[in-house]
Amino acid sequence: MTAIRLHPEHAEDVSDFLDRQARLPTLRFITCGSVDDGKSTLIGRLLHDSKALVEGQIETLAADSARHGTRGKDMDFALLVDGLAAEREQGITIDVAYRFFASPNRRYIVADCPGHEQYTRNMATGASTADLAVLLVDASRGLLQQTRRHAFIVSQLGIRQLVLAVNKMDLAGHSEARFRAIEADFRKFAATLGFADITAIPIIAPEGANIATRAPTLPWYKGPTLVEALETAETNTIANPDGPARLPVQWVNRPDSSFRGFAGQIASGTFHVGQKIRVLPAGRDTRIARILGPSGDLSEAIAGTSVTFTLADEVDVSRGDVLAGADRPADVADQFEATLIWMEEAPLYPGRPYWLKLGTRTVGATVTAIKQRIDMATLEPQPAKALNLNDIAVVTLALDRPIAFDPYSLSRLTGGFILIDRLSNATAGAGTVRYPLTRASTIRWQALDVSKATRAALNGQRPMLLWFTGLSGAGKSTIANLVEKKLHAMGKRTYLLDGDNVRHGLNRDLGFTEADRVENIRRIAEVGKLMVDAGLIVLTAFISPFRAERQLARDLQGKGEFVEIFIDTPLAEAERRDVKGLYARARAGEIRNFTGIDSPYEPPENPDLHIDTTQTTPEQAAEQIVAHILHDEIYEAWP
Amino acid sequence: MTASAVRPAPIHAPDPQRLSHLARLESESIHIFRETVAEARKPVFLYSIGKDSSVMLHLALKAFYPAPPPFPFLHVASGWDFGDMIRHRDRMVAAHNLDLIVAHNAEAPAAGVDPFRTPTPEYTRLMLTEPLKQALTHHGFDAAFGGGRRDEEKARAKERIFSFRNAAHAWDPKAQRPELWSLYNGRLNPGESVRVFPLSNWTELDIWDYIRLENVPLVPLYLARKRRTVVRDGQILVVDDERMQWLNGETAEERLVRFRTLGCWPLSGAVESRADTLDSMIAEMLSSRTTERAGRMVDHDQSASMERKKAEGYF
């Protein structure tokens, strides 16, 4: 392949040329591997050799090479892809860059992925939409931890075609033995990773050796060049037309009463008019009446096509449902096992609540258990209580309702999901479903005639959860006790949950690590919810240092039933009071993970009540809180 | 497009078992449109009237058919727009009954800001970026569709399809949300927004190919016509109206020219060309060796200017 891009000189040829271009398949691939293995240089060279560069870009490259280049007087091809100012300054790749080129036979979209461990999440972003991965190895350094991590992520994301590009062969004396040793090393490591096809190619990226043309300096290599390998790779591997028929419903199209269509992009398989389909998770069957494609009605539509279906029956379908071929329906469950890549600085603890988005459905979810963390050097499983940034683990998840999904190996787009932080809304993790754990159809909440409202009415009060939070020694228990006494005197039915009655019983199996603290608060929130359901006014007095858990507690309660009360005592003041002598012991190193000393406290951003104890006595604080509750009870509409 | 018209879609591959390059891009863009509408509280289409915007409009009409696109169209008019662009805009608005919002900074021109004398970065900020940000904030739009493509420019090549913006509409390239598969995270806190780029994976050639195959209506400025021009600083300017500020000795000359990208007419460089049909224009483009943004003075005023402008809140 010498000239990848065609240049029809006359308008008459354009029509043929463009018709052919429009019909070409696209190969999407990534370059990955450890930092400094030459990924960006390889792509720059590929663009250059494929004549995808035009005047403006070559001029800019020459100027940038002189200014920031790392290759002396020569062109620094990496600068073609490192598009951010910070990247050019530091000479590293921070985020994935997408570049485009073409051959007479196919179009290419290549994602240049960062090699730094810190930016693994960006690498996973690039890999999730790729048909093939080019994994670079520096011949002089061999396989590194980051090479292995990338190979593992690539395999977890379902990429089955891999090119092992052994780069910098000039620095390894153009040695065949060195190349074969690295290839053997990798094949051994990757034996269990499920690649269908591994092609190892020795290259020298800056020279273009074995990229588009054969390298005279590596005469012993008889296999394909990189471009030859790309030209013959399988395309369109993500949305599989031969897979099970799946349409995640994105949007219900109802312009008027005469039309009700269900719009989405076919995630897998093939649908045809008249086909019997099942609406999931509900389980109702119906048939496809019409398929509207992008350019009009279709009799049949394949994976990847954006369509709008109309259905033969009036069935209830909304965004997030999955329309599946009735002969091969998707799994429906509210628990499953998955492989998870953690992408956030804040660690993942089992029990902490997140949003989960899978297909077009977003639900509440928690990781219930970390079954094993995978060691990237050995692929060996290890036990773990928490997941840190870039950790990969097998976990179990529980959702707040059943959803339809598939194992990722069966269908990428109905088996891949992301976890979203409920406070920052950041994308905190990405996972691939292994298999369902329960058949959720057996779980049904009992609808009881005696309800929270009837119990509350009997008690003559509005049930709620008063959540006191603040540092150790801030005065939470003191104030909560006073509030309970006042409420009791007014004939209200109350219950105070505090360290003494919870830590010694329900939660005596928990310590003070971050993971245990999360679980501690989760249990208290759940018990609080049951007591509110029973019609009580519940008071809790725990440090509860993390916003995420307080948000969980709030989310569990009905609207208006959760009152967050921030007992605000500055650390210096709490430490000065040190009622229980705990601060002194923490400072002495006798107590570890002590909030405020060696464990963080995240103050509430918008508490319902903010008590500044440097300005308010406990008695005044209690009055203020009781007044707030009674005010709510009187003025807010009682559902 | 009518629902009953079954015509062989030219972009479909000969092999019915797999989507062609353009069919795949078309479906991906439609998916992005629908996902945004389903998740955003108040989306808006940033309508710039150029070729990319025209393709985007075509895709939006398809995505929600038979319903109309369920969002308004925002045009940031600098007041120095080509007359042809405004006429094309009004034709499209009438043809598809679009809900059009025009944003314009009226104070800056009154204070003496104009494209001839004001330094270009400052002019762009005052006449394009600021009115855009003000309109987004004023109407409370939380998702804005833009026609950016990753092949245009190195900073755009790095950008997500759902590009998160903080309350000041700024892009932080070092803290982009991971974006896996086609799962877009559009969840926002108050004041935050996303810019959504349905054409992220299209190239310039794809755009032209699609316009040609789908007969997408286009501003005539992209085709060569005799136009009144003046050459200044190596750029061919088309004198679009009587507000032209002439330098000593300058006069208008007729030249056969066309545009590769469109903006404010005093800041858009034309190219000499005989390509007066779409096919001849594409033939010319394919054999040309300059980038399409070369005619856009807005971009080569400073190195890394696109990244800087994006950080300020420009697209």
Side-chain angles (χ1 to χ4, degrees), chain A residues 570-625:
Chain A
L571 178 62
E573 174 61 18
E575 192 168 355
R576 193 190 57 74
R577 294 182 199 158
D578 205 3
V579 189
K580 299 177 195 164
L582 295 173
Y583 283 95
R585 289 178 58 201
R587 288 287 182 200
E590 288 172 36
I591 307 176
R592 292 181 56 196
N593 297 316
F594 194 79
T595 302
I597 307 295
D598 56 350
S599 183
Y601 179 78
E602 301 169 358
E605 286 170 334
N606 294 300
D608 300 286
L609 278 170
H610 187 159
I611 307 290
D612 179 352
T613 65
T614 62
Q615 305 292 324
T616 317
T617 66
E619 184 61 34
Q620 287 167 337
E623 291 282 353
Q624 203 180 324
I625 293 164

Side-chain angles (χ1 to χ4, degrees), chain A residues 26 53 55 85 95 236 297, chain B residues 3 21 24 35 158 289 307:
Chain A
T26 313
L53 299 181
E55 251 167 46
D95 212 328
N236 281 15
D297 271 61
Chain B
H21 177 67
R24 196 174 168 186
E35 203 58 16
K158 294 270 171 180
R289 302 292 295 162
E307 184 179 344

Side-chain angles (χ1 to χ4, degrees), chain A residues 502-520:
Chain A
V502 173
R503 274 281 177 196
H504 297 157
L506 176 66
N507 288 356
R508 72 177 165 205
D509 56 326
L510 299 177
F512 288 90
T513 63
E514 279 197 48
D516 281 358
R517 281 164 171 251
V518 170
E519 176 60 15
N520 180 44

Side-chain angles (χ1 to χ4, degrees), chain A residues 15-227:
Chain A
S15 177
D16 286 350
F17 172 75
L18 288 179
D19 282 354
R20 204 165 54 245
Q21 285 290 314
R23 290 186 167 88
L24 293 179
T26 313
L27 182 78
R28 293 188 69 143
F29 70 99
I30 60 167
T31 53
C32 58
S34 188
V35 62
D36 286 337
D37 284 353
K39 297 175 294 297
S40 303
T41 306
L42 174 68
I43 293 190
R45 188 71 216 194
L46 212 44
L47 295 174
H48 179 266
D49 290 359
S50 69
K51 315 267 188 293
L53 299 181
V54 293
E55 251 167 46
Q57 290 170 310
I58 294 174
E59 280 164 23
T60 314
L61 174 61
D64 282 359
S65 296
R67 215 165 120 213
H68 300 296
T70 54
R71 308 199 58 81
K73 281 185 196 157
D74 295 335
M75 294 251 199
D76 185 347
F77 289 103
L79 295 175
L80 281 173
V81 243
D82 288 338
L84 301 175
E87 294 180 324
R88 285 193 298 271
E89 278 157 25
Q90 300 172 50
I92 59 161
T93 305
I94 293 173
D95 212 328
V96 54
Y98 297 88
R99 300 305 301 249
F100 305 80
F101 63 101
S103 78
N105 308 312
R106 48 180 55 181
R107 316 285 309 257
Y108 292 96
I109 301 179
V110 53
D112 178 33
C113 296
H116 276 86
E117 182 178 348
Q118 189 187 346
Y119 305 118
T120 300
R121 56 181 173 227
N122 297 336
M123 178 271 170
T125 292
S128 68
T129 51
D131 301 307
L132 175 146
V134 177
L135 178 67
L136 275 93
V137 184
D138 181 334
S140 61
R141 294 194 294 172
L143 301 190
L144 302 174
Q145 166 121 337
Q146 199 59 356
T147 321
R148 296 193 182 92
R149 182 191 301 272
H150 279 190
F152 186 76
I153 293 173
V154 158
S155 82
Q156 286 306 306
L157 291 175
I159 299 176
R160 293 287 163 263
Q161 312 178 90
L162 186 124
V163 172
L164 184 75
V166 182
N167 192 19
K168 307 193 185 180
M169 286 302 298
D170 50 336
L171 301 185
H174 302 91
S175 156
E176 177 173 12
R178 179 68 185 149
F179 169 72
R180 295 295 169 208
I182 290 173
E183 179 184 3
D185 209 7
F186 183 79
R187 285 190 189 276
K188 190 171 157 224
F189 169 79
T192 58
L193 294 184
F195 293 114
D197 185 25
I198 298 175
T199 311
I201 307 176
I203 64 167
I204 307 164
E207 294 174 14
N210 285 339
I211 308 279
T213 52
R214 289 193 169 276
T217 51
L218 303 165
W220 43 265
Y221 177 72
K222 307 291 182 210
T225 62
L226 176 59
V227 165

Side-chain angles (χ1 to χ4, degrees), chain A residues 274-602:
Chain A
Q275 183 174 351
K276 191 173 174 192
I277 56 164
R278 187 162 297 167
V279 181
L280 297 173
R284 279 282 306 271
D285 284 359
T286 181
R287 288 182 187 280
I288 300 174
R290 274 176 72 190
I291 301 176
L292 279 80
S295 301
D297 271 61
L298 298 170
S299 54
E300 188 177 271
I302 61 168
T305 315
S306 279
V307 292
T308 302
F309 287 176
T310 65
L311 303 177
D313 307 290
E314 284 275 331
V315 287
D316 182 14
V317 181
S318 52
R319 172 173 167 83
D321 289 344
V322 172
L323 305 182
D327 56 330
R328 215 176 151 193
D331 286 313
V332 172
D334 61 0
Q335 287 184 48
F336 56 75
E337 184 170 304
T339 305
L340 185 68
I341 306 176
W342 195 242
M343 298 174 157
E344 221 187 16
E345 302 287 342
L348 169 100
Y349 296 109
R352 184 168 278 188
Y354 292 90
W355 296 113
L356 176 143
K357 187 174 182 188
L358 185 150
T360 56
R361 175 139 289 170
T362 304
V363 296
T366 57
V367 168
T368 45
I370 300 170
K371 295 190 75 175
Q372 47 188 253
R373 195 177 73 87
I374 295 151
D375 182 283
M376 279 306 121
T378 59
L379 299 187
E380 291 294 318
Q382 299 172 327
K385 283 203 144 185
L387 294 184
N388 293 310
L389 181 66
N390 300 323
D391 277 352
I392 302 174
V394 175
V395 302
T396 54
L397 288 113
L399 316 179
D400 63 10
R401 77 198 80 159
I403 65 168
F405 59 84
D406 290 290
Y408 188 78
S409 56
L410 191 63
S411 162
R412 283 210 217 180
L413 299 178
T414 50
F417 62 90
I418 54 172
L419 291 180
I420 301 171
D421 188 282
R422 295 175 80 124
L423 291 174
S424 70
N425 290 320
T427 303
T432 54
V433 175
R434 291 158 63 94
Y435 45 78
L437 288 174
T438 54
R439 299 283 164 192
S441 52
T442 56
I443 300 172
R444 285 279 179 270
W445 283 100
Q446 293 291 320
L448 299 172
D449 291 328
V450 179
S451 68
K452 177 157 64 179
T454 60
R455 285 186 290 261
L458 201 60
N459 284 345
Q461 64 187 34
R462 181 173 166 192
M464 63 180 76
L465 179 56
L466 305 178
W467 191 280
F468 292 75
T469 175
L471 292 169
S472 176
K476 297 179 298 296
S477 292
T478 310
I479 297 171
N481 266 306
L482 284 172
V483 171
E484 188 178 26
K485 278 184 191 162
K486 288 181 190 295
L487 291 172
H488 190 81
M490 295 158 91
K492 303 289 181 191
R493 290 162 207 266
T494 59
Y495 193 80
L496 174 64
L497 289 165
D498 66 11
D500 287 341
N501 58 22
V502 173
R503 274 281 177 196
H504 297 157
L506 176 66
N507 288 356
R508 72 177 165 205
D509 56 326
L510 299 177
F512 288 90
T513 63
E514 279 197 48
D516 281 358
R517 281 164 171 251
V518 170
E519 176 60 15
N520 180 44
I521 296 302
R522 189 192 69 80
R523 290 186 198 172
I524 292 160
E526 290 283 4
V527 170
K529 180 188 178 181
L530 294 176
M531 289 184 162
V532 169
D533 198 49
L536 302 182
I537 296 174
V538 186
L539 303 88
T540 68
F542 298 91
I543 299 171
S544 46
F546 304 118
R547 283 189 198 114
E549 279 68 58
R550 297 194 300 263
Q551 185 65 41
L552 162 73
R554 182 184 290 277
D555 291 346
L556 281 174
Q557 318 304 327
K559 195 171 166 359
E561 291 174 358
F562 184 87
V563 182
E564 187 177 35
I565 302 167
F566 180 26
I567 305 301
D568 187 2
T569 304
L571 178 62
E573 174 61 18
E575 192 168 355
R576 193 190 57 74
R577 294 182 199 158
D578 205 3
V579 189
K580 299 177 195 164
L582 295 173
Y583 283 95
R585 289 178 58 201
R587 288 287 182 200
E590 288 172 36
I591 307 176
R592 292 181 56 196
N593 297 316
F594 194 79
T595 302
I597 307 295
D598 56 350
S599 183
Y601 179 78
E602 301 169 358

